[in-house]
Amino acid sequence: MLVPGSLPQSVIFGAEDGHSPSPSSAQRIQAHPADRPDEKRRNGCTIGRAFEAKVEEIPGAKVDRAWTIAMNKRTFIRLFSAMMASPVISPLLARATKDKLSNWAGNLEYSTDRLYSANSLEEVRKYVKKQHKLKVLGTRHCFNNIADSTDNFLSLKPMDELVALDPEAHTVTVHAGMTYGQLCPLLHSKGFALHNLASLPHISIAGAISTATHGSGEKNGNLATAVSALEIVTAAGEVIKLSRQRDGEAFLGAVVGLGALGVITVVTLDIQPSFLMRQYVYENMPLAEMKEHFDTIQSSAYSVSLFTDWQNQRISEIWLKSRVEEGHAFDATPEFFGAQRATKNLHPIAELSAENCTEQMGVPGPWYERLPHFRMGFTPSAGKELQTEYFVPRQNAVEAILAVERLRDQISPHLMISEIRAIAADNLWLSPCYEQPCVTIHFTWKQDWPAVKMLMPLIEKELAPLKARPHWGKLFTMPPAELHSIYKKLPDFIQLSKKYDPHGKFRNEFLGTNIFSS
Ligand SMILES: Cc1cc2nc3c(=O)[nH]c(=O)nc-3n(C[C@H](O)[C@H](O)[C@H](O)COP(=O)(O)OP(=O)(O)OC[C@H]3O[C@@H](n4cnc5c(N)ncnc54)[C@H](O)[C@@H]3O)c2cc1C
């Protein structure tokens, strides 16, 4: 049996009966943490996140260290045979059967370990033409099975270069394998900035825009709103270019594409002159203050995040990110709606080391070192966790927060932290903020799937009358029919997908269940 709308239970920790995870599988995953080559430190401890790799050299195949994994003889033979069968792919990568390919959090073992890595547009085209079914894998930071494939994965990780910077048009064009962590320092060195970032810079740009990943700030649209053009390889291996200026509705439908339209190979983003920011953190705001002054609090800085564990009627931390410019500066008084200014850097999960977090205490720094909560090169969030997040229309925000707060006794034992953020409206068809400004209520859970599986329907039931929409890349149980009723552009999106992928080459279980099930 599948969890409606989200993750097949069978893939979480390898659940065997479809209801509860098998302890032996759970142990196995814990013993083999997800491959996180870009993270040097985790909550204060130095760790080598990449697997101990024993890679056998394969003639003609350039092995990507980031994806390396212990390879046994069987794998080598399989890899070699696959190379013979697919001579167009170079470098060609495959995973060991022993250590399954999993997502970043380690809660999801992907359904195949057939992973191929392309170096160029031509290689992408040839591979797509050759395969019957495939999914593109970004940096694997989704918690549900949106990126999963039972057949083949294509990685664009080697395609991570800046293609063009156009100072006059205020755009930057990049290859789709690039992460924000790679792009931002480069952009800053040229005097430019992006409008916003997510809590972490580790994620791929293409993967982030495909799921409407967002940061915070009531005037800031999600990260996909910065996209002004896309290059996509369709199921037939053809290259199409869609731009905001030229392609109108088709472009608006394609940007938050859930990986359903094809392989995004190039992305053009809007940029603006670089800016400095200061970040302040306050502690312990009474819930009553938040309720009374929600709008003023949200508009008090460029980006505002409220963290709570739903205990003791309080917001435990308030993160305010302010641009160091006239008209933007935040007046960092010692008290902020009953909360006290922190006297040292903090982690949103109070028990964890702030070493992994971006600089606070009002120290000015470049935009890309303040907009995310977590530093590149360090483990973001907690690491071993699950995440869910719901978007509610801005006008329902306080009601939604109070509805969740009423569930505190059920939620708190299984929660690490919740975060509340505001996002501006946009016009991207499958963005949860389509034509409505939103507030998100996010949950970082302890990695206890049976408990989280029980809690999600409770939360969703409370939030349903408030028109909540789940984050496309996080766990949810909302039935497909409900999703269909709240996304009015879904039928148009299905048509658009069929135009570029008539036979469902890029579809997987997640898309089949949630999008194409009507
Ligand atoms: C610690 C942590 C913190 C997070 N913080 C935030 C946050 O602040 N805000 C927020 O909104 N989300 C957040 N997320 C969620 C995350 O941003 C999204 O899940 C995002 O999609 C991850 O990008 P990815 O490259 O890892 O995607 P993947 O999981 O690899 O893929 C996601 C989807 O994109 C598709 N895709 C990827 N690349 C391409 C391509 N080139 N062409 C076509 N399709 C492609 C995949 O097929 C899949 O459907 C967080 C996740 C983690 C683990």
Side-chain angles (χ1 to χ4, degrees):
M1 185 193 135
L2 299 182
V3 180
S6 81
L7 202 55
Q9 296 172 17
S10 57
V11 295
I12 297 210
F13 297 139
E16 284 160 0
D17 60 2
H19 292 282
S20 56
S22 101
S24 57
S25 304
Q27 280 161 6
R28 184 159 55 79
I29 291 200
Q30 286 162 22
H32 296 278
D35 177 13
R36 299 171 180 169
D38 294 334
E39 299 169 16
K40 295 193 192 76
R41 276 165 191 274
R42 178 177 182 171
N43 306 324
C45 319
T46 305
I47 49 164
R49 300 301 297 171
F51 283 96
E52 281 303 307
K54 194 166 122 290
V55 181
E56 302 190 33
E57 293 300 327
I58 297 149
K62 203 171 77 191
V63 178
D64 183 338
R65 303 298 302 179
W67 289 100
T68 51
I69 195 163
M71 228 188 291
N72 57 22
K73 194 172 167 196
R74 193 170 138 212
T75 308
F76 174 75
I77 292 166
R78 200 172 50 137
L79 224 177
F80 189 72
S81 335
M83 265 184 74
M84 295 297 104
S86 309
V88 296
I89 304 305
S90 175
L92 170 66
L93 302 174
R95 309 289 307 198
T97 45
K98 224 170 68 184
D99 300 300
K100 292 277 190 182
L101 180 59
S102 64
N103 68 343
W104 171 88
N107 68 296
L108 170 65
E109 275 187 358
Y110 293 122
S111 307
T112 181
D113 55 7
R114 287 175 56 85
L115 172 74
Y116 301 93
S117 183
N119 262 318
S120 66
L121 178 63
E122 232 10 72
E123 286 185 359
V124 171
R125 294 187 62 207
K126 283 182 183 164
Y127 183 66
V128 169
K129 272 192 203 165
K130 206 172 166 67
Q131 300 304 325
H132 173 60
K133 290 274 254 189
L134 73 135
K135 289 304 293 178
V136 187
L137 202 50
T139 38
R140 302 172 291 128
H141 281 72
C142 286
F143 289 84
N144 60 24
N145 59 345
I146 188 170
D148 197 17
S149 173
T150 49
D151 303 275
N152 298 289
F153 284 121
L154 173 64
S155 167
L156 269 56
K157 195 169 187 292
M159 295 172 64
D160 63 354
E161 281 175 6
L162 196 150
V163 178
L165 181 70
D166 186 336
E168 276 170 30
H170 276 99
T171 59
V172 65
T173 299
V174 299
H175 280 134
M178 199 174 213
T179 64
Y180 287 98
Q182 290 171 304
L183 171 63
C184 295
L186 255 178
L187 210 48
H188 180 66
S189 72
K190 307 277 180 207
F192 290 98
L194 298 173
H195 80 293
N196 210 359
L197 290 169
S199 70
L200 76 174
H202 310 58
I203 49 179
S204 80
I205 295 167
I209 63 172
S210 297
T211 61
T213 290
H214 63 93
S216 188
E218 61 174 14
K219 297 210 174 109
N220 302 322
N222 69 46
L223 304 190
T225 61
V227 177
S228 67
L230 289 173
E231 177 185 273
I232 301 177
V233 173
T234 66
E238 281 163 9
V239 181
I240 56 155
K241 295 185 184 185
L242 294 172
S243 86
R244 192 196 282 146
Q245 231 176 0
R246 242 188 5 244
D247 299 292
E249 286 293 300
F251 170 79
L252 299 175
V255 181
V256 179
L258 312 183
L261 271 57
V263 183
I264 301 169
T265 43
V266 173
V267 183
T268 302
L269 300 169
D270 294 336
I271 53 174
Q272 55 181 274
S274 195
F275 54 91
L276 295 179
M277 299 193 85
R278 295 179 197 271
Q279 179 163 240
Y280 296 95
V281 174
Y282 285 79
E283 292 182 274
N284 297 322
M285 175 187 285
L287 199 68
E289 292 283 332
M290 183 284 303
K291 185 179 160 194
E292 197 63 25
H293 303 287
F294 187 77
D295 287 339
T296 317
I297 293 166
Q298 288 300 335
S299 61
S300 59
Y302 187 75
S303 162
V304 177
S305 288
L306 310 179
F307 291 96
T308 180
D309 54 11
W310 307 104
Q311 289 173 9
N312 307 319
Q313 299 262 314
R314 58 165 200 156
I315 303 292
S316 50
E317 292 179 20
I318 303 97
W319 289 41
L320 299 149
K321 299 167 196 273
S322 161
R323 290 173 71 137
V324 183
E325 288 158 22
E326 221 168 306
H328 281 284
F330 169 73
D331 181 14
T333 49
E335 197 186 308
F336 180 71
F337 296 101
Q340 306 302 313
R341 200 172 60 207
T343 51
K344 59 176 189 196
N345 283 356
L346 295 173
H347 192 288
I349 304 167
E351 303 78 44
L352 298 186
S353 166
E355 191 186 13
N356 296 16
C357 299
T358 47
E359 190 67 42
Q360 301 155 35
M361 306 284 292
V363 178
W367 56 278
Y368 70 95
E369 291 181 354
R370 298 295 180 274
L371 282 171
H373 304 327
F374 304 106
R375 292 163 70 189
M376 193 65 192
F378 290 74
T379 297
S381 194
K384 192 177 164 214
E385 64 195 63
L386 300 175
Q387 292 190 9
T388 55
E389 187 168 35
Y390 301 97
F391 296 66
V392 291
R394 169 67 186 251
Q395 70 272 17
N396 298 341
V398 173
E399 209 181 324
I401 294 166
L402 297 179
V404 174
E405 202 271 335
R406 284 195 293 275
L407 296 173
R408 62 186 175 276
D409 291 343
Q410 286 111 299
I411 289 174
S412 288
H414 306 287
L415 187 78
M416 292 199 227
I417 200 70
S418 271
E419 182 178 10
I420 297 162
R421 290 178 275 186
I423 305 143
D426 61 54
N427 53 5
L428 306 172
W429 292 1
L430 287 200
S431 162
C433 299
Y434 179 72
E435 293 186 344
Q436 62 180 14
C438 283
V439 163
T440 55
I441 307 178
H442 161 93
F443 304 82
T444 301
W445 303 106
K446 294 172 191 166
Q447 212 172 66
D448 179 354
W449 172 238
V452 173
K453 187 178 71 179
M454 302 301 285
L455 285 165
M456 285 189 292
L458 291 184
I459 298 170
E460 288 168 10
K461 187 167 168 240
E462 290 301 314
L463 296 183
L466 303 171
K467 306 263 178 280
R469 297 167 175 200
H471 191 300
W472 289 117
K474 302 186 183 181
L475 297 163
F476 61 92
T477 57
M478 192 176 283
E482 220 167 294
L483 282 176
H484 282 246
S485 74
I486 51 182
Y487 278 98
K488 73 173 188 194
K489 295 297 268 184
L490 210 52
D492 299 312
F493 180 78
I494 291 171
Q495 285 314 310
L496 189 68
S497 308
K498 285 183 176 165
K499 180 175 168 195
Y500 298 125
D501 181 17
H503 307 297
K505 188 177 272 194
F506 299 107
R507 278 180 226 164
N508 60 4
E509 190 181 318
F510 178 95
L511 293 172
T513 305
N514 293 299
I515 306 298
F516 296 95
S517 58
S518 59

